[in-house]
Structure formats: structure tokens, C-alpha cells
Amino acid sequence: MPSDDALERLASALADERRALLGHDIELLVRSTHDKLDALRRLEAELPDGRGERLSELAEANRSNGALLARRRREVNWALRHLGRAESAPAYDAQGQAQQLQARRELAVV
């Protein structure tokens, strides 16, 4: 059944995405995200009947991966702020466009 195949592809892509997030594997993350989006497009085209429970499980896995990704993003932003490479809040220029302040901070005095 095509929709069962799409569900299994989605499950596999979500598992790969989680492994990539936990292992800091950028290439696997890009590949698994592509596979996930492809599986979702297939599911949209042919919605499976009677598979609501499985779809709910996969939605929860996707939310869990989203939480991992948000945590990684916060860690990177924290590190950049403490290295003096990014401000915690964006600034607006004269045209009203949001910009990150690029403040430089000396890390050592020579």
C-alpha cells in the first residue's frame, strides 16, 4: 500500500533526523530533512485511512526532534553571544529592517 510505504519512509526519516541531531551530523540532518519532506508530500497526496494512531506517533517524534533542534539553536546562540559575535536581540536600521549587531569584543589583551 503506497501510504504505508510513505508512513514507513516518514518514520525512518524522523529516526535519522533524531540521530543526526544527537550526533551533530549535519549531512545526515540535511538528508533526513529532505526525506521527511518527501514522505510528507506523498502522505498529503494519499492520506491513509485508519492510520491516525501511527500518524500521531510520528507527529510526536517530529515535535521531539523540533525540541532538540531548538535546544541546539539556543546553545549556538549562547556560544556566539559569549564569544562576542552576536547580540541577544536584533537591532533595526533606518529602513526598519532587523539586523544583528556585530559587536566585537577582545578576548585577550596582548
Side-chain angles (χ1 to χ4, degrees), residues 47-63:
L47 291 173
D49 292 330
R51 301 301 302 237
E53 185 176 324
R54 181 68 174 139
L55 281 173
S56 294
E57 290 171 2
L58 295 175
E60 181 57 35
N62 192 47
R63 282 189 290 276

Side-chain angles (χ1 to χ4, degrees), residues 9-69:
R9 289 176 138 219
L10 179 59
S12 176
L14 287 168
D16 287 346
E17 183 180 61
R18 181 170 185 78
R19 194 170 52 254
L21 289 167
L22 292 172
H24 305 281
D25 186 340
I26 300 302
E27 286 135 15
L28 180 58
L29 181 60
V30 170
R31 246 187 347 266
S32 63
T33 300
H34 179 271
D35 293 346
K36 178 175 75 171
L37 292 174
D38 184 51
L40 287 170
R41 282 187 203 99
R42 286 178 175 212
L43 282 170
E44 285 177 351
E46 45 190 73
L47 291 173
D49 292 330
R51 301 301 302 237
E53 185 176 324
R54 181 68 174 139
L55 281 173
S56 294
E57 290 171 2
L58 295 175
E60 181 57 35
N62 192 47
R63 282 189 290 276
S64 176
N65 287 351
L68 279 173
L69 188 56

Side-chain angles (χ1 to χ4, degrees), residues 83-98:
L83 290 171
R85 293 296 183 197
E87 291 294 321
S88 58
Y92 292 91
D93 64 15
Q95 288 77 33
Q97 301 297 315

